[in-house]
Amino acid sequence: MRLPRRAALRLPRTEPIESAVLRWNLELFCIGETVAVPLFRRMLRGTTQPQARRLIRRIVADEARHRDFGWSLLDSLLDGPWGGSARAQLVEQLPGALARIKLAYGGESSTLPAESRAWGHLAPEEYGEQ
């Protein structure tokens, strides 16, 4: 079996690396992981299956570390030599990033069986409550 060349695995860059890092950090770590922590805590409250409880506890801890990493990285980006442009980019990108995360976690009202809740599932509308 022949492995692909490392260079072939890279996506073409259409923006400066600093812009890409800021954009992905904002959405994935700062917003996404910040939203994920209370969401998984909420899932844990209704979870009675021991295996699911262990898994969700681990996820909560991991998501909290990811969130903290994102905010620390953002602080570093804003304090560094690229800070002025980073602030301008944040102002521009924040509304869209917030709208995308809200859209991802919103949902129609539905009834969820007790068995599903025991495994940590939430009804779609409960995602939007976090």
Side-chain angles (χ1 to χ4, degrees):
M1 178 168 110
R2 184 174 173 182
L3 296 175
R5 289 186 342 265
R6 184 175 180 163
L9 298 175
R10 293 186 183 149
L11 294 174
R13 188 174 301 141
T14 58
E15 62 187 326
I17 189 70
E18 296 87 355
S19 295
V21 168
L22 182 69
R23 182 170 49 84
W24 286 109
N25 184 61
L26 173 66
E27 288 203 35
L28 295 176
F29 291 105
C30 294
I31 298 174
E33 302 294 349
T34 298
V35 169
V37 171
L39 180 66
F40 279 101
R41 283 184 182 147
R42 170 83 183 266
M43 288 176 179
L44 187 60
R45 283 198 316 252
T47 304
T48 58
Q49 290 294 328
Q51 304 94 324
R53 286 190 65 77
R54 278 193 303 276
L55 177 64
I56 294 172
R57 274 193 201 108
R58 171 66 189 266
I59 292 170
V60 168
D62 286 349
E63 301 302 82
R65 283 190 289 271
H66 300 156
R67 174 202 60 203
D68 295 346
F69 165 79
W71 290 105
S72 293
L73 176 57
L74 182 62
D75 285 343
S76 293
L77 290 170
L78 295 176
D79 288 342
W82 192 65
S85 345
R87 288 183 199 312
Q89 188 176 337
L90 279 174
V91 168
E92 179 183 309
Q93 291 183 355
L94 189 58
L98 290 171
R100 281 186 291 281
I101 200 78
K102 186 175 181 179
L103 182 64
Y105 285 107
E108 298 288 323
S109 177
S110 65
T111 303
L112 196 63
E115 182 179 346
S116 290
R117 288 195 182 278
W119 285 94
H121 297 163
L122 297 175
E125 72 273 7
E126 292 176 281
Y127 284 88
E129 294 172 4
Q130 296 308 309

